[in-house]
Amino acid sequence: MVPWDRLAIYLAVGIMTGMETNRTRQFKVAVISGGFVIILTLILMMLGESGLRDWERFQENYLAILGEKVSVDDKIRIRQIENHDLRFVDRCPTCHVGLHDNQMTDQSLPLTAHPGEAFSTHDPEQYGCSTCHGGRGRALDIPHAHDQAIDNPFLRSNQTQAYCGKCHLTIFPAEFSLPGAGRLAEGRTVFLRNGCQGCHRVRGVGGMHGPELTDLGTRTLHSFDFRRVSGDRSINNWHREHLRNPQDISTESIMPAFHFPETITSALTLFLRGQFSPQFPLQYITLPMIREFKHERSVISPDEIFSRLCSGCHGQRGLPDSIQTVPFSVPTLANPDFQAVASLDYIAFTITEGRGGRYMHAWTSEVSGLYETEIRALLSSVRDMRSAAFDISRIKHQAGSVEEGARIFQGNCAMCHEANEGTRLAPNILSDGFLSLATNAYILANVVEGRANTAMPAWRTFREEQLIHLLAYLRSKQTNSMRPLPVTPMNGNISRGDSLFYYSCSRCHGEKGTGGIGPAIMNGAFLRMTDPGLVAATITSGRAHSAMFGLTSRGIKDISGRENDILDIITFMYSRRDSIPDYIPAGMVLGDPDRGKSLFYRRCAECHGQQGEGGKGPALNNQEFLSAASNGYLLATISLGRLGTRMPSWGRGSADYPALTPQERQDVVALIRQWQTIRIKRDKRWIK
Amino acid sequence: MRSLKTPATTLERTRAISKNFFLHIHAAKLDPYVLKPTFTFGLGVVATSLFLILITSGIFLLFYYTPSIERAYFSILDITYVVSGGRFLRNLHRWSAHGLVFISLLHLARVFYTGAYSRGRGLVWYSGMILLLLVLSFSFSGYLLPWDQLAFWAVTIASNIANATREIGVPAFMDPGRFLKYLLLGGDQVGQATLTRFFLLHVVFLPITTLFMLGYHFWRMRKSDGLNTPGSMSAATGSETSGDPVSDNMPNTKWLSWPVLIWAELSVFIVTLALVLLFAYLIDAPLRAMANPTIPENPAKSPWYFLGVQELVSYSAFSGGIAIPLLLLAGLFLIPVFDREDKQPGTWFSGTEGLRITILSVLFALPVAIGAILLSPVTAPAFRGQPLLTMLLNPGTLLTILYIIWALLLGRKYRSRRYSALALFTVSSVGFVVLTVVGIWFRGTDWQFIWPWGL
Amino acid sequence: MNRREFLNRMTFGTLISGGALLTAAALKIPVPQTGFAARRYNLGDINKYPLNHFTFLPEKNIYLFRDRKRIKAVSAICTHLGCVLRRSDAGFRCPCHGSKFNDRGAVISGPATRDLDWYRVQQEPDGRIFVIEDQTVAPEDFLEI
């Protein structure tokens, strides 16, 4: 103990000795006052540590309530829970003495017993307090333990469920139902339904445009940028303002503004703060956790994939009216006009190769974290956004109205199938040569299925009676009766057929039969749909008033010698029916790019940019796009337009956007094709 | 036990000093001028007191601190929350440290302005300069030990400043800055090796060196007839009394050291202790989140005494981080070589003329410094991509050149190196203070200008 | 010289040379031998890096750029004082003092004066692709894939 008496004597002696000279007086005064301050400070400091601290008072209150005397074991002391595996030292029970004590349930904080059932499943001696509540477990005063715990954000009772995410998996399990974590589940639903993972990767799955969110829950207050936040400086508020308008908070962000109501925002914030990739030792890890951390999760359904990854930009189920306002142009996938012209090749290519330099990722497994089966399912699901084709066999031979059919034909088919200023984009289907060979079923199949990668769209918007009218109109142009199709055995010589095709057919039909002046006759869809007899008959008799001169029209009477040729050609063609070329076939370019350029500047550049770089409309000079889109796709899109978007139908024309003639459309396509500098090989595994 | 009879006779009082292990560094008699508060302000004693307080508080802290990157931060937390008097102890250590740096700089200024290095007392000056460097190293090495975000990034920045020698294209194996960085860091990034080395520096190497240096500093003063007062002797080699132990019968030594000097020093110590204890009681030392190498602080600021340098560095890494500080240090070191005039030693500013020059220098330096700093948003984009120009023409070098010109002109005008030194010291100090103030309060995120109340 | 002088000289010389050697050896002790980050980094499956995108590799502080033909790697460390760069619209920017670089790593503005280093990307005979930080290359250099 401090020898106060001796100290006093020395002081007195010293003072008296020194008093003899006033040289020292000023110094002694200084010593006395300084000494006072020191003594005062030290006393205050010691007092502060003896029974006056908050936790000491709480413990005394507790003991007083219990009516117990302070025994040796119960003396006022620091109580802590340590767990070195989970790396915490929690001194919370020092103030919250009544935590385990059932007698304290009716007390108020801090002495009250812990509410709820949490202790039954999470023994505090093992899990401590800061695991679920955050805060600074080592601290012994109120502010540092709670709100000022800077490296472990503290959560109050209605928010602690966020930290369930430290151990309980929240992203991939199909079902999520933890007792007491209702708002967390709510937030999870919001997260998974709005395409957040499309830009923000979590646990190995997702896009890369935004920051990865796997460890969002570990971020402390200090790691958030509050410079542009107007409300209070808390993590919850940062998330709230950020969700409301991301560009306000983070100027370079491309994230759309989701206009969620407040309850949704707070649930979502809770969920986001519950994202952790925890590091704890083996005995705390469950088997499902191991699987998820090793990215062996259960398969996600394509609907689920679409809503998690795609809907953020492409809208819920690809519908135009629900697309978020992203600052770049995004195709509406469920748009009927898009689905009509896009082949599976195009869709598969776009999804798996992306659009380089734009915001559309290449969603391969390595990049997105999805499994191959999931990607395949996604491709089919996007393809299935096209309205179902009804069963054409239901169409009986009813009499349709020729006038109606004419109107339908004029409004939809004529823009390609009719010659305009000498150019025709599609075969003349009003010719006898075609109609006498084509059955109704064949015609309807072509209409409803379209022809993949050519300019023939899949018309799913017609109703049954409209097709009947159309048929009636077409048949009204037929002059001769139906001819039976010759039986065509497939036993020709394929290699001979190959060279015959090359010499005889490819000039019009394209080098690999991918289309040119004549239709794409090596197109897989065509071959699958068309009876070889029709092809044989067409080769034999040709098509009147077209460039397809058959054998007979050249005046060859005796075709017996040529029958083998035809057989060879057809056998060759059909042998390639199911082959998948390395590149999506573009087809021949039949237009003049220079004329196309001036047309483009005048008509297209306003939305698509002077060099096709995009703007209000998509970028047309993108290499991935040009490798995905055949000339037919381009022609079809230009001709048909996209109802519901700003893309007009240049085939039909309107008051503001007068129609382009077929040749003009060919010219524009020629220009667009000129922008292609590389050909990107596609990955065939997605097509098989 | 010997009787505690207070010494009364002159002989007894003399012996009380000269026979005491601790006290005999003092002379038995002293020049009364030395005790004038407005002469020294007791700054040297304050500095020594703070150092003693630091050693004591540091030893206590050593009971609980663990220099491992997993445990360091938590050991600090435990000290703050659990250890009896721990929070207080830590605050005491922290504020004494900051105080020591500040007081050392003030002491340097006092010694310079009173010309205490003149009349052959150059060695005291040199040892004092070395002590300043030691104090800065102490403070810097201790800064890392809590291993929080503040500490980690401050050291990262400072080590990169040292590495700025590569800007001038020095080849790697000859590069002293790079070598220093690797030596300090124990690798190429701040990590466990760094913490171990800084701990070694802070707790072993620097204390031993400082104690020796401090001993030498005191001894050197004693050998030079105590403080350089107007009446004291010259310690220059060649004068009759240099090298002799100080005689107690010299004309300027009028008072007996015992008890006046003892009381004087004691009072300074007690007042220092009182102030620093009060500080420790009232204000907590900062502690941010635990160091996280993946999340840089923004702005990442070095300790306040380096912020002037950091401000300079934001203009140009090499000139601001290496060239100008080295120039400054070299200039300070060589003052006794430069100024041999012995002009009115012991008098502040060497007289009224010197005072006028000092005031003029302040009035010149202040707007020039502020102007140069305000110029920085203009010069930075002007020389983008041109390393040599950026290094040569930036606000830092501009300031340096202008200040040197000012000092030379003044020196020429008054034909006195002492006045020239006065001017240069004053303008450099003002410039440095302005830069430090800007670095502390006027720089925010991304090192952009802000108003102090804005952050 | 006589024996005494010789002995003195020998003793003295031994002490001096021994002391010098000891000092030299002692000076080498604090020089760090390890603690240097590995200078070669295995990129693993390059398909996991998105196309036409600068992917940040936090362990190495490198930005990796990949498009259909090329892989390039650029340092993400600001040449001013070593802060880690972030992406911006026009390239890279440094949060510490505001230095800005374009996509080729050239300095656009800011206290930094040197352009960013591009590192060699190399394919081993067994097919693995590494970033070699010891070798810097021109921005036009890339690994063809």
Side-chain angles (χ1 to χ4, degrees):
Chain A
M1 278 311 316
V2 183
W4 297 108
D5 42 348
R6 280 191 125 180
L7 208 75
I9 292 177
Y10 289 152
L11 207 59
V13 167
I15 289 175
M16 290 199 303
T17 320
M19 284 308 193
E20 65 182 82
T21 153
N22 54 10
R23 290 176 197 161
T24 56
R25 184 170 301 161
Q26 52 184 339
F27 300 123
K28 288 174 183 172
V29 168
V31 168
I32 291 175
S33 19
F36 251 157
V37 174
I38 292 172
I39 293 172
L40 186 66
T41 316
L42 286 173
I43 289 178
L44 281 174
M45 188 205 86
M46 290 195 289
L47 274 181
E49 288 195 2
S50 50
L52 288 187
R53 286 178 289 192
D54 286 335
W55 61 264
E56 289 166 312
R57 283 190 295 113
F58 294 143
Q59 287 194 13
E60 278 174 1
N61 286 350
Y62 174 68
L63 293 173
I65 291 173
L66 289 188
E68 286 171 20
K69 294 208 187 6
V70 180
S71 70
V72 175
D73 292 327
D74 278 338
K75 72 179 191 311
I76 311 286
R77 59 178 173 79
I78 298 177
R79 296 150 199 257
Q80 67 184 33
I81 305 171
E82 281 179 61
N83 187 328
H84 292 293
D85 295 326
L86 295 183
R87 276 179 277 187
F88 64 78
V89 171
D90 281 346
R91 300 187 175 119
C92 320
T94 310
C95 284
H96 294 277
V97 218
L99 215 47
H100 308 261
D101 196 338
N102 290 327
Q103 298 170 275
M104 305 300 276
T105 44
D106 47 342
Q107 297 295 324
S108 57
L109 278 173
L111 298 178
T112 179
H114 194 277
E117 299 298 314
F119 279 0
S120 53
T121 42
H122 297 73
D123 179 14
E125 290 301 317
Q126 192 185 13
Y127 289 93
C129 317
S130 57
T131 310
C132 300
H133 285 276
R136 194 175 252 185
R138 286 175 193 251
L140 284 176
D141 58 278
I142 298 174
H144 286 125
H146 304 143
D147 292 314
Q148 288 180 29
I150 41 183
D151 33 18
N152 195 355
F154 179 69
L155 293 180
R156 296 216 134 76
S157 57
N158 60 347
Q159 292 214 299
T160 44
Q161 46 187 290
Y163 284 162
C164 299
K166 282 184 184 176
C167 302
H168 295 273
L169 305 175
T170 57
I171 295 288
F172 289 117
E175 306 288 312
F176 180 80
S177 59
L178 273 183
R183 288 185 69 224
L184 184 64
E186 207 185 310
R188 180 187 123 100
T189 310
V190 176
F191 184 82
L192 299 180
R193 294 281 161 269
N194 284 280
C196 310
Q197 257 179 298
C199 287
H200 293 283
R201 179 172 286 231
V202 192
R203 282 269 212 281
V205 173
M208 322 263 272
H209 289 302
E212 184 168 338
L213 299 184
T214 305
D215 282 314
L216 194 51
T218 59
R219 281 183 63 181
T220 61
L221 183 65
H222 202 62
S223 62
F224 288 93
D225 186 351
F226 280 93
R227 275 178 293 171
R228 304 167 68 96
V229 170
S230 50
D232 59 85
R233 214 186 135 91
S234 68
I235 297 180
N236 283 347
N237 190 47
W238 190 94
H239 280 296
R240 180 182 310 125
E241 295 199 15
H242 181 253
L243 283 168
R244 198 185 320 139
N245 194 336
Q247 280 79 29
D248 269 356
I249 306 299
S250 177
T251 39
E252 290 165 354
S253 169
I254 55 166
M255 176 164 155
F258 295 86
H259 300 291
F260 295 132
E262 175 66 31
T263 50
I264 302 279
T265 311
S266 60
L268 185 57
T269 303
L270 196 93
F271 178 78
L272 291 173
R273 295 187 66 178
Q275 292 313 302
F276 290 89
S277 57
Q279 303 121 350
F280 34 58
L282 215 44
Q283 57 261 40
Y284 289 86
I285 297 184
T286 63
L287 210 50
M289 281 161 85
I290 293 182
R291 293 209 182 96
E292 186 167 308
F293 298 152
K294 289 181 71 67
H295 301 173
E296 285 170 21
R297 49 180 176 75
S298 48
V299 170
I300 323 174
S301 71
D303 281 351
E304 190 64 33
I305 294 175
F306 193 89
S307 80
R308 281 176 195 241
L309 303 181
C310 320
S311 64
C313 290
H314 287 285
Q316 303 275 345
R317 292 303 304 158
L319 293 172
D321 52 297
S322 62
I323 284 189
Q324 309 295 338
T325 46
V326 288
F328 45 89
S329 89
V330 175
T332 58
L333 299 179
N335 184 304
D337 286 330
F338 169 75
Q339 288 290 341
V341 299
S343 61
L344 183 61
D345 286 335
Y346 178 86
I347 293 174
F349 190 94
T350 302
I351 292 180
T352 54
E353 301 288 340
R355 291 267 195 268
R358 309 275 299 170
Y359 293 107
M360 175 65 184
H361 265 309
W363 293 95
T364 51
S365 300
E366 296 89 352
V367 172
S368 66
L370 293 171
Y371 301 138
E372 264 190 39
T373 49
E374 290 173 331
I375 297 176
R376 256 187 257 275
L378 179 67
L379 295 179
S380 311
S381 151
V382 174
R383 167 74 303 162
D384 290 339
M385 286 183 185
R386 173 197 270 184
S387 337
F390 48 75
D391 186 7
I392 8 182
S393 60
R394 279 181 15 211
I395 296 187
K396 309 290 182 219
H397 289 278
Q398 298 155 353
S401 150
V402 172
E403 275 168 43
E404 258 317 298
R407 253 198 294 275
I408 294 171
F409 187 87
Q410 275 310 119
N412 295 290
C413 321
M415 55 178 151
C416 294
H417 282 282
E418 242 177 29
N420 194 326
E421 290 173 11
T423 315
R424 163 184 267 128
L425 293 177
N428 185 0
I429 51 175
L430 299 179
S431 80
D432 207 54
F434 170 74
L435 287 168
S436 57
L437 289 172
T439 61
N440 280 354
Y442 181 67
I443 294 175
L444 288 175
N446 273 296
V447 170
V448 159
E449 294 295 333
R451 214 157 283 164
N453 294 328
T454 68
M456 177 64 185
W459 297 91
R460 301 290 172 102
T461 48
F462 290 140
R463 295 186 306 278
E464 201 182 303
E465 50 278 19
Q466 288 178 300
L467 288 173
I468 295 175
H469 297 318
L470 189 58
L471 274 175
Y473 172 69
L474 290 174
R475 289 295 170 208
S476 73
K477 299 287 183 184
Q478 185 175 359
T479 48
N480 293 330
S481 53
M482 299 291 299
R483 290 184 278 151
L485 299 175
V487 172
T488 321
M490 295 286 194
N491 53 8
N493 183 320
I494 292 180
S495 57
R496 193 161 172 271
D498 190 349
S499 37
L500 276 172
F501 185 93
Y502 183 75
Y503 287 115
S504 316
C505 321
S506 61
R507 207 171 315 154
C508 292
H509 287 283
E511 188 177 316
K512 298 217 173 85
T514 51
I517 306 168
I521 51 178
M522 296 272 280
N523 181 300
F526 168 77
L527 292 171
R528 279 187 282 272
M529 209 187 302
T530 311
D531 190 302
L534 195 151
V535 181
T538 308
I539 297 178
T540 310
S541 51
R543 283 278 164 86
H545 311 298
S546 79
M548 179 64 188
F549 46 81
L551 294 175
T552 51
S553 63
R554 281 159 62 192
I556 298 174
K557 294 292 196 264
D558 178 16
I559 59 165
S560 51
R562 306 311 271 295
E563 276 169 4
N564 280 338
D565 292 350
I566 298 177
L567 209 60
D568 290 340
I569 292 176
I570 291 182
T571 312
F572 162 70
M573 283 168 60
Y574 277 83
S575 73
R576 298 292 171 87
R577 183 184 64 183
D578 295 323
S579 74
I580 303 174
D582 284 339
Y583 300 92
I584 295 180
M588 276 169 59
V589 171
L590 298 171
D592 175 6
D594 292 319
R595 276 203 309 259
K597 190 186 269 192
S598 53
L599 274 168
F600 190 88
Y601 281 170
R602 279 185 282 123
R603 310 293 203 94
C604 322
E606 183 194 327
C607 289
H608 288 284
Q610 293 258 330
Q611 316 298 329
E613 69 274 12
K616 285 180 281 196
L620 301 177
N621 63 359
N622 181 286
Q623 297 305 314
E624 274 79 8
F625 169 72
L626 290 169
S627 288
S630 61
N631 290 344
Y633 174 88
L634 296 171
L635 263 178
T637 307
I638 294 174
S639 308
L640 219 60
R642 290 254 170 101
L643 183 71
T645 70
R646 274 190 280 242
M647 177 66 181
S649 169
W650 298 96
R652 297 188 185 100
S654 61
D656 295 321
Y657 302 105
L660 290 172
T661 66
Q663 184 59 55
E664 288 177 326
R665 287 178 248 153
Q666 294 273 27
D667 293 336
V668 173
V669 169
L671 171 73
I672 296 176
R673 188 53 64 191
Q674 261 200 339
W675 290 329
Q676 183 173 21
T677 53
I678 56 175
R679 276 209 311 165
I680 301 171
K681 209 187 268 201
R682 60 159 149 191
D683 195 330
K684 292 198 214 178
R685 59 183 157 143
W686 304 117
I687 306 298
K688 292 205 190 68
Chain B
M1 192 176 118
R2 242 182 311 157
S3 61
L4 268 174
K5 196 161 80 74
T6 41
T9 64
T10 307
L11 182 62
E12 285 171 0
R13 287 184 175 178
T14 310
R15 284 193 178 145
I17 301 279
S18 60
K19 284 190 167 188
N20 186 303
F21 173 73
F22 293 107
L23 295 181
H24 84 284
I25 190 68
H26 302 104
K29 283 198 185 156
L30 65 105
D31 179 347
Y33 193 85
V34 159
L35 289 181
K36 266 170 42 116
T38 50
F39 174 49
T40 64
F41 297 94
L43 288 169
V45 184
V46 173
T48 315
S49 316
L50 285 173
F51 186 63
L52 291 173
I53 295 170
L54 279 168
I55 292 185
T56 317
S57 53
I59 291 178
F60 279 116
L61 286 171
L62 269 177
F63 272 90
Y64 289 102
Y65 173 75
T66 315
S68 122
I69 56 179
E70 294 90 10
R71 292 174 193 267
Y73 185 75
F74 294 121
S75 66
I76 300 277
L77 287 186
D78 283 344
I79 288 173
T80 312
Y81 297 126
V82 171
V83 170
S84 205
R87 172 189 83 94
F88 187 70
L89 204 59
R90 178 172 177 247
N91 294 345
L92 185 64
H93 198 75
R94 186 70 162 232
W95 299 130
S96 309
H98 282 304
L100 181 58
V101 175
F102 185 61
I103 295 289
S104 306
L105 292 171
L106 287 182
H107 180 64
L108 170 72
R110 191 290 287 171
V111 167
F112 174 79
Y113 281 120
T114 56
Y117 54 84
S118 58
R119 297 215 290 206
R121 286 161 168 81
L123 282 172
V124 192
W125 174 266
Y126 299 138
S127 55
M129 280 301 301
I130 294 179
L131 276 170
L132 177 66
L133 291 178
L134 287 172
V135 162
L136 287 174
S137 312
F138 247 124
S139 199
F140 184 60
S141 56
Y143 212 72
L144 179 67
L145 300 185
W147 200 252
D148 69 339
Q149 282 284 70
L150 195 62
F152 184 89
W153 292 105
V155 172
T156 306
I157 297 278
S159 68
N160 283 323
I161 292 178
N163 201 16
T165 43
R166 68 180 186 165
E167 266 207 2
I168 52 171
V170 179
F173 60 88
M174 268 175 39
D175 187 340
R178 185 169 173 276
F179 182 72
L180 187 63
K181 177 184 168 184
Y182 279 113
L183 202 61
L184 277 177
L185 258 44
D188 48 17
Q189 280 167 332
V190 177
Q192 177 62 59
T194 318
L195 188 59
T196 308
R197 283 170 189 236
F198 274 45
F199 185 69
L200 164 70
L201 267 178
H202 192 77
V203 164
V204 177
F205 184 73
L206 286 174
I208 293 178
T209 316
T210 310
L211 281 171
F212 269 116
M213 213 68 219
L214 204 57
Y216 180 77
H217 193 67
F218 292 153
W219 178 76
R220 210 47 251 178
M221 278 196 296
R222 180 79 160 80
K223 290 277 283 173
S224 317
D225 190 26
L227 299 192
N228 199 354
T229 60
S232 67
M233 319 229 320
S234 170
T237 45
S239 82
E240 310 109 43
T241 53
S242 78
D244 292 345
V246 172
S247 161
D248 289 331
N249 289 322
M250 300 277 55
N252 59 320
T253 53
K254 292 213 283 272
W255 290 358
L256 283 168
S257 297
W258 179 279
V260 169
L261 186 59
I262 310 304
W263 275 114
E265 293 187 349
L266 184 64
S267 68
V268 172
F269 173 76
I270 293 284
V271 170
T272 309
L273 181 60
L275 281 174
V276 96
L277 278 178
L278 205 59
F279 235 91
Y281 182 74
L282 292 174
I283 309 179
D284 280 333
L287 187 71
R288 299 240 189 108
M290 186 164 149
N292 188 339
T294 57
I295 302 182
E297 285 276 288
N298 189 352
K301 291 195 177 179
S302 42
W304 63 267
Y305 39 87
F306 282 153
L307 272 176
V309 176
Q310 193 173 346
E311 176 69 25
L312 280 176
V313 154
S314 76
Y315 310 139
S316 156
F318 176 76
S319 64
I322 297 190
I324 295 181
L326 281 181
L327 203 62
L328 194 67
L329 280 173
L332 278 173
F333 248 100
L334 295 173
I335 286 179
V337 173
F338 178 69
D339 166 29
R340 291 178 188 277
E341 287 171 10
D342 294 350
K343 212 191 223 5
Q344 296 194 37
T347 314
W348 274 85
F349 310 111
S350 302
T352 45
E353 186 135 69
L355 176 62
R356 202 154 25 97
I357 289 173
T358 309
I359 294 178
L360 270 177
S361 302
V362 170
L363 291 176
F364 170 73
L366 205 54
V368 168
I370 296 176
I373 293 175
L374 288 177
L375 212 64
S376 63
V378 170
T379 56
F383 299 125
R384 60 178 78 152
Q386 301 181 55
L388 199 61
L389 277 177
T390 313
M391 205 189 300
L392 293 175
L393 291 174
N394 60 66
T397 46
L398 201 66
L399 266 183
T400 314
I401 294 171
L402 285 173
Y403 285 166
I404 293 178
I405 292 177
W406 169 264
L408 286 173
L409 285 178
L410 261 170
R412 176 101 31 106
K413 174 173 175 201
Y414 287 91
R415 268 181 255 267
S416 159
R417 283 193 171 188
R418 168 66 177 164
Y419 288 155
S420 181
L422 266 180
L424 190 54
F425 187 92
T426 311
V427 292
S428 309
S429 306
V430 169
F432 207 75
V433 166
V434 170
L435 284 168
T436 307
V437 163
V438 166
I440 298 177
W441 285 300
F442 288 84
R443 288 289 193 185
T445 317
D446 286 3
W447 207 254
Q448 297 300 310
F449 277 122
I450 54 157
W451 293 114
W453 44 89
L455 201 60
Chain C
M1 70 181 95
N2 60 19
R3 231 183 337 195
R4 179 173 296 173
E5 272 175 52
F6 175 72
L7 214 52
N8 281 342
R9 292 229 177 126
M10 280 304 296
T11 320
F12 198 61
T14 316
L15 276 174
I16 293 288
S17 44
L21 272 165
L22 258 177
T23 315
L27 280 178
K28 192 147 191 291
I29 295 176
V31 175
Q33 308 292 324
T34 61
F36 299 102
R39 308 292 284 170
R40 279 165 58 95
Y41 179 69
N42 186 351
L43 289 179
D45 181 6
I46 52 161
N47 287 309
K48 69 176 185 255
Y49 302 107
L51 291 165
N52 298 295
H53 187 82
F54 278 96
T55 311
F56 181 60
L57 306 176
E59 319 82 50
K60 306 301 296 172
N61 286 329
I62 286 179
Y63 275 104
L64 193 75
F65 179 79
R66 173 164 105 95
D67 66 18
R68 294 200 177 266
K69 293 228 193 88
R70 314 174 277 181
I71 303 184
K72 312 197 282 185
V74 69
S75 163
I77 310 272
C78 180
T79 53
H80 177 229
L81 279 185
C83 291
V84 176
L85 298 172
R86 299 192 195 152
R87 287 288 296 160
S88 75
D89 295 335
F92 304 95
R93 90 183 160 87
C94 178
C96 289
H97 303 97
S99 306
K100 288 195 177 48
F101 304 82
N102 65 15
D103 273 340
R104 276 173 54 100
V107 177
I108 306 178
S109 76
T113 50
R114 286 186 314 115
D115 296 345
L116 295 176
D117 287 329
W118 289 86
Y119 297 126
R120 177 175 298 288
V121 184
Q122 194 166 289
Q123 185 160 35
E124 301 293 295
D126 61 4
R128 293 183 300 162
I129 301 184
F130 284 85
V131 176
I132 317 276
E133 283 183 82
D134 284 329
Q135 299 173 27
T136 53
V137 296
E140 300 79 36
D141 281 352
F142 50 83
L143 175 72
E144 273 218 42
I145 41 157

